[in-house]
DNA sequence: ACCGGCTGTTGATAAATATCAATCATTATG
DNA sequence: CATAATGATTGATATTTATCAACAGCCGGT
């Protein structure tokens, strides 16, 4: 039995090495240590240097090409994923369709609820743009949550905000008609993701549809209507909101 | 030390007396002290006697008649609500329609995400059946989360389970057609809320519709279809699932 | 330059669902 | 007991939305 465990450890360690091998080539590589990384100011602001070292020591950095899957719904995984560059989406694979729960940009982490339940992912994640991510052992995270109340409280606040966002999303998706839902998605993209007004979409029309819970064709049609009414301009992946007020009203009246 | 504990118990008891004045009328009244209450075995199992006293001292017990509002979306509130008898619903007030997020039965608490954000409620709660609830100061709760890692971890697990449930709900509501959604709601009621198979609905058809995100008329029609296909019997508020397998399949095929 | 595959776009049609109106049943109320 | 008031049910109809099919545009590979 003991032999078996040792064998496992050796195996996992060599596996780790080989993974590192491919990582060293990485050009987008940002910081060799969490203490120097800009991620810490936002997510880990309540952690001390020793605590950051703990995270640093259990961390892998991985690159993903656009379209690649970061993790898949249903698979077990004792990691949490911190996006350090690029753009990822987290989505639920439903019955034929996908529903995008959120886009994740730097610096934010993807911390699935499964970590505190059964170490399984309850949604999938994939790279929308080329991405760099740090994978950190969830047990380290949980340990820090137990030991550092400020960190725990900040985490709870993040979880709460996420939860509030989900509620708004549920209402939007279940109670608004298509124009209202598209309006919400456009605001989300402009205000929360790309953070500017004439912005360039890096997501596909299908993603747009998966964000607003409708078919791709319907999403395109609504966009066209908005364009015809002078609410926005769409040219390929360039988009600009021209009449924020009217778009806001469409969002609110459903 | 022992003396100190006894002193605390006495103190908490005298304080309780004054509060009792208004509560004593209550017939459903269950326990005069959290230490004796059956709630603690489930929610507060990781709390020691002194910690429970803390909760006990900041607690109000209130009765609600069926239909009464417990708290309303948008209002500020530094309390968390523990349902100790009856049945409540938490729901989001949308645009004309309501969406029921969950039914809450004893012993469970309603801990809105606002507590860690801005002390506002992001959904409303009302009594479906006559209810008894304990209101506890959120600051006490937050204090215990900071000081007791086991309690915090258990709480995170609960929040995670809630979150997983919400995801399933989003998928059901946005990707399934009406029969699938009604099937899901029926399973929810039978398995999670009433916990038996021939069960008696204490919620209205409108609530059924608000749980499944459709109009009341549509909900009734689907119920009728299920009845005609021999999947279940509905007579007023009595309901029995006859063909669980088929209902499961309807739920899964959307 | 040509081709095949992909995403995006459009129109026609079918399916799903809500709304409206009327009726029935049940309970509350004077 | 009569009568209002409320909730449940049903049918007819209108609206919303998805699906299907066709086609355009773009891009990488040859």
């Amino acid at each position: 039995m003991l032999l078996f465990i040792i064998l496992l450890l050796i195996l996992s360690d060599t596996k780790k090495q080989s993974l590192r091998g491919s990582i060293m080539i990485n050009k987008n590589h940002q910081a060799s240590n969490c203490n120097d990384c800009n991620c810490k100011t936002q997510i880990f602001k309540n952690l001390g240097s020793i605590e950051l070292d703990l995270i640093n020591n259990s961390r892998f950095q991985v690159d993903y090409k656009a379209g690649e899957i970061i993790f898949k719904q249903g698979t077990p995984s004792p990691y949490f994923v911190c996006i350090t560059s690029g753009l990822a989406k987290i989505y639920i694979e439903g019955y034929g369709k996908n529903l995008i729960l959120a886009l994740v940009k730097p610096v934010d982490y993807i911390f699935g609820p499964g970590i505190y339940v059964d170490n399984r992912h309850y949604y999938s994640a994939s790279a929308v743009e080329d991405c760099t991510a740090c994978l950190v052992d969830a047990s380290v995270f949980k340990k820090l949550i137990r030991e550092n109340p400020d960190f725990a409280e900040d985490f709870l606040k993040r979880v709460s905000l996420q939860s509030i966002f989900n509620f708004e999303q549920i209402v939007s998706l279940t109670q608004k008609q298509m124009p209202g839902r598209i309006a919400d998605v456009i605001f989300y993209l402009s205000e929360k993701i790309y953070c500017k007004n004439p912005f360039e979409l890096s997501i596909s029309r299908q993603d747009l549809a998966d964000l607003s819970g409708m078919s791709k064709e319907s999403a395109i049609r609504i966009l066209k209507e908005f364009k015809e009414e002078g609410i926005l301009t769409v040219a390929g992946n360039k988009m600009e909101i021209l009449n924020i007020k009217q778009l806001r009203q469409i969002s609110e009246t459903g």
Side-chain angles (χ1 to χ4, degrees), chain A:
Chain A
M1 182 57 186
L2 184 62
L3 189 68
F4 178 68
I5 293 176
I6 291 171
L7 188 67
L8 258 181
L9 286 174
I10 292 171
L11 276 176
S12 69
D13 208 54
T14 52
K15 190 171 178 185
K16 205 166 184 170
Q17 293 299 345
S18 64
L19 242 177
R20 281 255 174 77
S22 66
I23 290 166
M24 272 335 231
I25 318 165
N26 175 11
K27 269 104 184 173
N28 292 338
H29 183 244
Q30 296 177 331
S32 58
N33 188 297
C34 296
N35 268 300
D36 310 326
C37 180
N38 58 346
C39 308
K40 82 165 180 182
T41 60
Q42 297 180 54
I43 303 174
F44 302 127
K45 59 172 187 273
N46 292 309
L47 296 184
S49 170
I50 295 176
E51 291 171 317
L52 278 173
D53 277 339
L54 254 179
I55 289 187
N56 194 47
N57 289 338
S58 74
R59 141 185 167 270
F60 298 78
Q61 187 167 325
V62 187
D63 287 345
Y64 297 96
K65 290 220 170 59
E68 286 182 348
I69 289 181
I70 299 174
F71 56 79
K72 207 161 152 61
Q73 185 175 331
T75 59
S77 164
Y79 297 100
F80 87 92
V81 178
C82 184
I83 301 294
T84 54
S85 83
L87 188 66
K89 64 179 175 186
I90 58 181
Y91 59 100
I92 294 181
E93 305 187 38
Y95 309 83
K97 281 188 213 168
N98 291 340
L99 179 74
I100 297 179
L101 292 173
L103 298 175
V104 185
K105 62 171 190 172
V107 180
D108 211 348
Y109 48 25
I110 307 173
F111 192 91
I115 299 279
Y116 272 103
V117 177
D118 56 3
N119 269 330
R120 276 172 201 282
H121 288 297
Y122 282 83
Y123 44 71
S124 299
S126 72
V128 172
E129 305 168 6
D130 290 354
C131 268
T132 313
C134 284
L135 275 57
V136 180
D137 208 304
S139 63
V140 171
F141 191 91
K142 284 164 87 168
K143 180 177 149 71
L144 293 174
I145 290 281
R146 287 183 69 92
E147 292 173 359
N148 185 332
D150 287 329
F151 183 60
E153 201 158 73
D154 185 63
F155 176 63
L156 276 170
K157 187 176 172 183
R158 284 169 185 276
V159 168
S160 296
L161 285 169
Q162 178 66 36
S163 172
I164 289 170
F165 176 74
N166 281 146
F167 289 152
E168 284 168 6
Q169 205 175 16
I170 293 184
V171 172
S172 174
L173 290 173
T174 60
Q175 306 207 339
K176 293 186 185 177
Q177 295 183 355
M178 296 197 296
R181 279 180 278 162
I182 289 287
D184 286 343
V185 169
I186 291 174
F187 279 125
Y188 175 64
L189 293 171
S190 169
E191 293 174 357
K192 302 279 174 65
I193 300 304
Y194 300 117
C195 301
K196 47 190 167 192
N197 187 354
F199 55 95
E200 184 154 354
L201 289 169
S202 51
I203 64 173
S204 68
R205 303 297 150 120
Q206 184 64 58
D207 286 336
L208 213 61
D210 289 345
L211 271 166
S212 49
M214 65 185 70
S215 71
K216 185 182 54 173
E217 293 94 327
S218 293
I220 291 170
R221 260 182 269 266
I222 304 291
L223 238 40
K224 193 183 165 196
E225 278 176 35
F226 285 178
K227 204 160 102 184
E228 283 164 359
E229 291 171 39
I231 296 171
L232 43 78
T233 57
V234 201
N237 287 330
K238 286 265 184 194
M239 190 180 285
E240 178 172 10
I241 307 175
L242 298 178
N243 192 336
I244 294 190
K245 213 168 178 178
Q246 196 177 349
L247 193 61
R248 183 71 64 194
Q249 183 170 355
I250 290 173
S251 158
E252 279 164 10
T253 57

